[in-house]
Amino acid sequence: MSAGAAVAAPPDAESCSQVPVLRERGQREVFCGLTSIVWLHRKIQDAFFLVVGSRTCAHLLQSAAGVMIFAEPRFATAIIDERDLAGLADANAELDRVVGRLLARRPEIKLLFLVGSCPSEVIKLDLKRAATRLSQSFGPNVRVLNYSGSGIETTFTQGEDACLASLVPSLPPEPADAGRSLLVVGALAEIVEDQLGRLLGQLGIGPVRFLPPRSAASLPQAGPRTSYLLAQPFLGDTARALDERGAQRLDAPFPLGVEGTTRWLQAAATAWGISTARFDAVTAPAAERAQRAMARYRALLAGKRIFFFPDSQLEIPLARFLAREIGLVPVEVGTPYLHRQHLAAELAMLPAGTTISEGQHVERQLDRCRAARPDIVVCGLGLANPLEAEGITTKWSIELLFTPIQGYEQAADLAELFARPLDRRMRLVA
Amino acid sequence: MQLTLWTYEGPPHVGAMRVAAAMQGIHYVLHAPQGDTYADLLFTMIERRDRRPPVTYTTFQARDLGGDTAELFKTAAREAYERFRPQAMLVGASCTAELIQDDPGGLARALQLPIPVVPLELPAYQRKENWGASETFYQLVRALAGPAVPPSGTQRPARAAGVRPRCNILGPTALGFRHRDDLAEIAALLGRLGIDVNVVAPMGAAPADIARLGEADFNVVLYPEVASAAAQWLHRSFGQPATRIVPIGVGATRRFVQEVAALAQVDPAPALDDPGSRATWYARSVDSTYLTGKRVFVFGDATHAVAAARVAKDELGFTVVGLGTYSRELARDVRAAAQAIGVEPLITDDYLEVEAAVAALQPDLVLGTQMERHIAKRLGIPCAVISAPVHVQDFPARYSPQMGFEGANVLFDTWVHPLMMGLEEHLIGMFREDFEFREDAAPSHLGSHAAPTAAPSPAPAPPAAAESGGPIVAAWEAAAEKELGKIPFFVRGKARRNTERFAAERGVPLITVETLYDAKAHFGR
């Protein structure tokens, strides 16, 4: 491995990779996988997400979206009612009717996801068969796929994983004469995609494609000459599906902070045999600029203690970035699910002594949090104001998914997200 | 199955949470899968409550379904009791748990907790949030006040001489539309009549307070959606009469004062007016002339919609062109009110239907919920919010009731401010071609950012008539189209619609300038 500008030392025995994980079971204060629709429906512009579920699902989506989005959303819920449950109505015929109404109203839709929910899973409504049937009725204009975002199976960002995994079998195969290509996997803000694409281009790595694509018409190809880099830490099923297509995962930490971004790019550069000199020439100026931008936040945040409640599976990469580049001290890092293989590089970089917890018993975790008196707590919207009222500074975790945070140019923005609540607390005198 | 973009009401267990979160000393154990905890953020974020709602979720997962979800429930209930030490517990299931039929009530009974445990049966596939709140409140009142019910046939003793009358105030919950301020306003009004408040419930009440509801002389029902069922039971059980008038608007406030004074046998005079009441005079002020006949569309929960239609018509001189509700339980009241003002009632919880109705009617003002605010914004129509479902903006920091005399002042301000001011409207009409009167010019008092730009995509669904092969729309001659462009944008939609209807009814194939003015003469302003 050629050494990049800010590449860290290899994992050592003092790191977190061997540390036992506190496994918790109890009330989970997390969203279900349906919630990822809130960003996915904006990402793929001609896709529509139809949740087949209950009023609770519909209510969750509009509450998690937080606001009535100005433009009409590209998601909706087909609400199951008692007639469907009692067998008075044929649920499949009902679903066909609802989809027909929807597609008549939104003729620009090219890709329709039927999204399973807790109730649809419990009553064993076969959405896979429904998707095949509807694809036949509405194809080739509209492709219909299905996945489950139910809370009994998925936590928050796992919904994106399930969605992308359902897309993988539809990806076109590589042409016979295809050269190698790079696939970047995981929804990113468009500006981040463009920046990372530019850097990879300057390094001479390509062609670079992205999953999810911005439109259903531009599905990236996948096959044995595809290497892929995960841009998000929660994509276990998608990775498995890509592996089945013969694609190869390039192991890397996630592109958060200067170090994460450098090592993420490095993984591709190594695979493409790019020289150290060229790698440094392309990345060093961006890395240096990001270091300069982060400095002011480091001054504010260094030495402060941070506690993560589980939410998005971004917690471990975030803690790694904040600990190593900003000087925060992670007290407990909670994650809803720990994918040890995909996070191996991240775990190796966490400071020794960091408590990692997987799953949740929210009451016990709140007890630990209150006892630890951290300077800042990263948590969901249900916990933030109650903790603030107890005098504990919080950062909403959901903002970390709605803000461009990956890559060099966003490293300082990411640090700023954690500095802002503390800055605010210092400004308010009354 | 129903296709739903936005929903007016959450599931019924959210209604139960609104009751539980409003009260003291109560805990709700909800059998629910991972993800249902989203409901906490309604309270902590929208209402900015400083504590979590008193709810424990069992959080079962797929792998538990083959195993013992019942045991999971019992553990959660036992731990919740030990940790929170509530004085009473509610137990129930969310939509998914309803399907697995674990019987939370029976499981909780088996735990033999030393407190009252009230099981809730809230059918999630039939019922919705307000029904859930009403049923929860009713079951709590029955369970906790039940032991104090006198034997049937017992006469309610007359109030002793010299004892002040006492009432309960029923209905305010967490996440209610201005419940906090309505309660303050009405409690003050009752105070001026010399009436004491025995218990306010659910808001602020502990289980012990619910147990003594029967001690009051009568009940004030502020929100029938939540409190009617409980009030009827209290009437049957304790002989307590209940108020029927909801004091929204000056007229209804006065009638409410009369009603309460009669129930309490006191003189209504001290509360029939208020030196701070300005709404009536403001509506008579000459600058309000321009409000005359403004066409308003009203939609909300039944109580607020009926009240808003009445205030709009009788106290502001608007013309109500549409009235509807998503509250099927109280649809009868809305039908009656709609019939009285001669409009077709719209009873639906389908947002798309409401949108189509607003698009077809092209009102000057929409009085609705946050959903209608969204619709109105897209269609470029001014809007004021009158009812739940709520948004963080519906919990203002300032005192802002809807009920009582101050509530009527608030209604005047919030409904009138979104409208174009009188003289400005004239100037825009007269000097259409002034280069600063752009299409998207907003009333100057709303600031430039408030320009009612209609969302570019997608186009709103065409009204149902156009879809179902209704009359063919006549073509516009270029000169007529140009003339139409000189009509101010905020009435242009109506002018276009009226002209096209006029042409269609007379079989006019091409609309000319003459057709435009013929239609104007026919329909009037």
Side-chain angles (χ1 to χ4, degrees):
Chain A
M1 184 178 124
S2 56
V7 173
D12 57 48
E14 289 299 297
S15 74
C16 248
S17 51
Q18 312 302 321
V19 168
V21 171
L22 176 62
R23 284 215 170 67
E24 289 270 69
R25 188 78 205 280
Q27 175 173 328
R28 288 182 158 211
E29 195 76 20
V30 291
F31 287 131
C32 65
L34 296 181
T35 319
S36 53
I37 292 172
V38 175
W39 65 88
L40 285 172
H41 87 283
R42 289 283 154 217
K43 179 74 200 177
I44 314 175
Q45 297 189 1
D46 49 3
F48 195 98
F49 293 79
L50 181 65
V51 176
V52 182
S54 64
R55 182 166 301 282
T56 314
C57 306
H59 198 233
L60 155 86
L61 278 174
Q62 81 183 39
S63 309
V67 287
M68 294 309 213
I69 298 165
F70 182 65
E72 185 168 312
R74 287 187 293 267
F75 61 78
T77 310
I79 295 184
I80 299 169
D81 60 32
E82 52 173 346
R83 284 164 38 82
D84 303 304
L85 294 177
L88 293 175
D90 174 0
N92 283 305
E94 284 289 292
L95 187 57
D96 290 4
R97 181 181 61 77
V98 165
V99 168
R101 184 179 175 202
L102 175 70
L103 292 176
R105 183 180 158 80
R106 304 294 299 265
E108 74 282 12
I109 297 304
K110 299 286 177 254
L111 178 60
L112 174 66
F113 290 98
L114 301 180
V115 188
S117 65
C118 297
S120 80
E121 296 294 325
V122 169
I123 65 171
K124 302 202 186 316
L125 195 57
D126 190 345
L127 293 182
K128 194 173 183 64
R129 242 180 49 202
T132 310
R133 184 180 66 241
L134 288 162
S135 275
Q136 280 158 4
S137 327
F138 293 100
N141 248 356
V142 185
R143 190 203 311 259
V144 185
L145 298 175
N146 81 289
Y147 72 89
S148 172
S150 81
I152 57 178
E153 292 157 310
T154 60
T155 305
F156 196 23
T157 49
Q158 278 180 304
E160 177 177 326
D161 186 24
C163 172
L164 299 189
S166 80
L167 260 178
V168 170
S170 303
L171 301 184
E174 293 166 334
D177 59 345
R180 68 180 313 180
S181 66
L182 180 68
L183 184 62
V184 175
V185 185
L188 293 169
E190 284 167 7
I191 189 165
V192 174
E193 249 179 45
D194 294 344
Q195 288 169 7
L196 293 175
R198 265 201 307 274
L199 283 168
L200 290 163
Q202 286 162 15
L203 286 169
I205 296 167
V208 181
R209 302 189 176 89
F210 293 89
L211 181 71
R214 293 182 195 184
S215 86
S218 54
L219 284 179
Q221 60 192 46
R225 301 203 46 77
T226 305
S227 299
Y228 68 92
L229 266 175
L230 296 178
Q232 299 283 9
F234 43 71
L235 298 171
D237 288 353
T238 308
R240 199 173 314 121
L242 284 166
D243 293 346
E244 281 166 19
R245 294 286 302 261
Q248 288 99 43
R249 184 171 73 89
L250 302 177
D251 190 34
F254 295 92
L256 297 171
V258 171
E259 187 183 32
T261 305
T262 302
R263 288 193 50 185
W264 189 82
L265 291 167
Q266 179 72 64
T270 304
W272 256 256
I274 307 299
S275 73
T276 308
R278 180 156 188 197
F279 185 81
D280 288 349
V282 170
T283 58
E288 193 274 327
R289 183 166 57 200
Q291 296 284 8
R292 243 184 304 137
M294 285 193 305
R296 79 182 77 127
Y297 303 115
R298 203 177 298 127
L300 187 69
L301 290 169
K304 296 269 196 284
R305 298 162 70 248
I306 189 164
F307 191 108
F308 285 87
F309 279 78
D311 194 58
S312 62
Q313 295 188 43
L314 278 164
E315 294 81 10
I316 288 172
L318 285 170
R320 177 267 300 163
F321 159 69
L322 292 169
R324 291 171 67 99
E325 299 187 44
I326 306 296
L328 277 160
V329 181
V331 179
E332 174 170 338
V333 184
T335 180
Y337 174 72
L338 180 59
H339 196 300
R340 282 186 175 270
Q341 196 193 347
H342 289 180
L343 287 163
E346 296 284 353
L347 289 170
M349 289 192 281
L350 270 186
T354 307
T355 299
I356 296 177
S357 58
E358 183 184 9
Q360 193 173 30
H361 184 298
V362 72
E363 306 296 351
R364 285 207 286 265
Q365 194 168 27
L366 281 166
D367 291 345
R368 290 198 299 275
C369 178
R370 292 183 182 113
R373 296 301 301 181
D375 297 297
I376 185 162
V377 172
V378 184
C379 62
L381 297 173
L383 297 177
N385 265 339
L387 286 172
E388 291 281 353
E390 292 180 29
I392 296 174
T393 304
T394 61
K395 166 82 219 90
W396 309 348
S397 48
I398 196 165
E399 201 175 355
L400 298 161
L401 285 149
F402 288 173
T403 314
I405 57 169
Q406 294 84 359
Y408 291 122
E409 311 306 338
Q410 282 67 240
D413 299 346
L414 179 55
E416 194 273 342
L417 286 179
F418 294 90
R420 198 183 313 168
L422 290 167
D423 177 28
R424 180 155 190 80
R425 183 155 284 235
M426 285 189 292
R427 283 168 190 259
L428 297 177
V429 289
Chain B
M1 262 179 222
Q2 192 195 354
L3 179 62
T4 307
L5 268 73
W6 301 119
T7 147
Y8 286 95
E9 293 181 71
H13 72 260
V14 168
M17 287 180 69
R18 286 175 47 195
V19 171
M23 291 180 61
Q24 310 286 328
I26 200 144
H27 201 86
Y28 183 20
V29 180
L30 184 65
H31 206 14
Q34 165 173 275
D36 282 7
T37 49
Y38 84 87
D40 285 0
L41 78 85
L42 305 171
F43 298 89
T44 62
M45 296 305 293
I46 296 179
E47 200 174 2
R48 298 188 179 93
R49 291 180 88 86
D50 63 358
R51 68 200 71 179
R52 294 158 62 210
V55 182
T56 292
Y57 304 80
T58 57
T59 314
F60 56 83
Q61 291 174 275
R63 62 164 185 259
D64 302 316
L65 291 177
D68 203 349
T69 49
E71 195 52 44
L72 205 62
F73 179 87
K74 284 162 80 173
T75 306
R78 197 183 302 113
E79 283 188 7
Y81 174 71
E82 282 160 9
R83 180 175 283 268
F84 299 105
R85 297 282 161 175
Q87 293 140 39
M89 189 182 274
L90 296 165
V91 297
S94 79
C95 55
T96 308
E98 184 183 331
L99 298 171
I100 60 177
Q101 303 184 325
D102 272 339
D103 183 22
L107 293 171
R109 252 195 318 280
L111 292 176
Q112 299 192 304
L113 297 174
I115 50 168
V117 174
V118 182
L120 299 174
E121 300 270 351
L122 308 175
Y125 299 91
Q126 296 172 36
R127 302 295 194 162
K128 290 177 285 183
E129 178 179 332
N130 279 338
W131 185 88
S134 167
E135 174 69 10
T136 301
F137 187 46
Y138 165 70
Q139 292 295 349
L140 258 177
V141 168
R142 262 189 70 153
L144 300 175
V149 173
S152 76
T154 312
Q155 270 301 341
R156 196 177 169 80
R159 196 171 76 239
V163 174
R164 282 162 62 102
R166 274 191 300 176
C167 71
N168 301 312
I169 300 180
L170 305 181
T173 63
L175 267 188
F177 186 74
R178 308 291 168 84
H179 287 193
R180 172 197 76 194
D181 295 346
D182 285 347
L183 176 60
E185 185 71 15
I186 297 308
L189 198 65
L190 294 167
R192 282 165 56 196
L193 289 167
I195 299 169
D196 289 339
V197 175
N198 178 50
V199 172
V200 175
M203 191 178 279
D209 297 320
I210 303 289
R212 57 187 185 83
L213 280 173
E215 294 170 12
D217 299 308
F218 65 98
N219 289 311
V220 170
V221 175
L222 290 190
Y223 308 103
E225 276 84 351
V226 177
S228 267
Q232 283 163 22
W233 182 84
L234 288 166
H235 189 206
R236 286 197 302 277
S237 306
F238 293 99
Q240 288 171 325
T243 58
R244 301 190 59 82
I245 293 166
V246 177
I248 297 178
V250 171
T253 298
R254 291 208 175 106
R255 288 195 299 281
F256 171 81
V257 167
Q258 300 274 14
E259 182 186 35
V260 164
L263 289 173
Q265 294 159 320
V266 297
D267 178 10
L272 277 175
D273 218 333
D274 186 309
S277 176
R278 282 172 282 269
T280 309
W281 165 239
Y282 276 29
R284 285 173 191 277
S285 156
V286 286
D287 68 289
S288 291
T289 310
Y290 81 101
L291 300 176
T292 311
K294 288 272 185 199
R295 302 167 69 254
V296 295
F297 177 88
V298 182
F299 196 86
D301 68 22
T303 300
H304 286 90
V306 169
R310 190 185 54 238
V311 172
K313 176 174 161 288
D314 296 344
E315 300 186 18
L316 286 162
F318 292 151
T319 300
V320 177
V321 293
L323 171 60
T325 185
Y326 57 83
S327 312
R328 286 186 192 276
E329 288 86 2
L330 295 174
R332 195 191 303 172
D333 300 352
V334 177
R335 285 204 182 90
Q339 198 179 13
I341 49 177
V343 298
E344 192 64 31
L346 179 62
I347 314 296
T348 182
D349 59 358
D350 185 346
Y351 162 87
L352 298 177
E353 257 185 74
V354 181
E355 181 184 58
V358 177
L361 286 165
Q362 289 286 327
D364 301 314
L365 175 69
V366 171
L367 300 175
T369 72
Q370 286 294 336
M371 312 283 196
E372 284 67 46
R373 193 178 67 96
H374 181 61
I375 292 169
K377 201 160 147 190
R378 282 173 48 133
L379 298 174
I381 299 170
C383 178
V385 174
I386 58 157
S387 158
V390 287
H391 184 272
V392 67
Q393 288 173 357
D394 300 317
F395 294 92
R398 68 181 185 280
Y399 183 58
S400 189
Q402 301 284 290
M403 293 185 174
F405 292 106
E406 182 59 19
N409 293 338
V410 170
L411 298 186
F412 184 92
D413 287 348
T414 45
W415 298 4
V416 168
H417 288 178
L419 293 167
M420 186 78 69
M421 303 301 274
L423 291 177
E424 192 177 25
E425 185 174 337
H426 288 304
L427 285 174
I428 291 178
M430 286 171 70
F431 306 110
R432 253 308 293 152
E433 288 172 7
D434 184 299
F435 67 95
E436 285 186 316
F437 291 163
R438 302 176 319 278
E439 283 299 294
D440 55 350
S444 53
H445 63 285
L446 292 183
S448 56
H449 61 281
T453 43
S457 70
E467 275 173 357
S468 57
I472 291 156
V473 176
W476 285 74
E477 197 189 60
E481 187 83 52
K482 192 160 178 244
E483 195 75 5
L484 181 71
K486 293 176 191 164
I487 295 172
F489 65 87
F490 48 87
V491 288
R492 199 179 304 145
K494 187 172 70 171
R496 176 185 286 279
R497 190 175 48 88
N498 282 349
T499 309
E500 287 173 355
R501 193 170 120 202
F502 181 83
E505 282 168 6
R506 282 157 189 74
V508 177
L510 185 70
I511 294 168
T512 63
V513 174
E514 292 309 306
T515 324
L516 180 67
Y517 286 112
D518 284 345
K520 182 171 187 262
H522 179 75
F523 289 108
R525 179 53 243 266

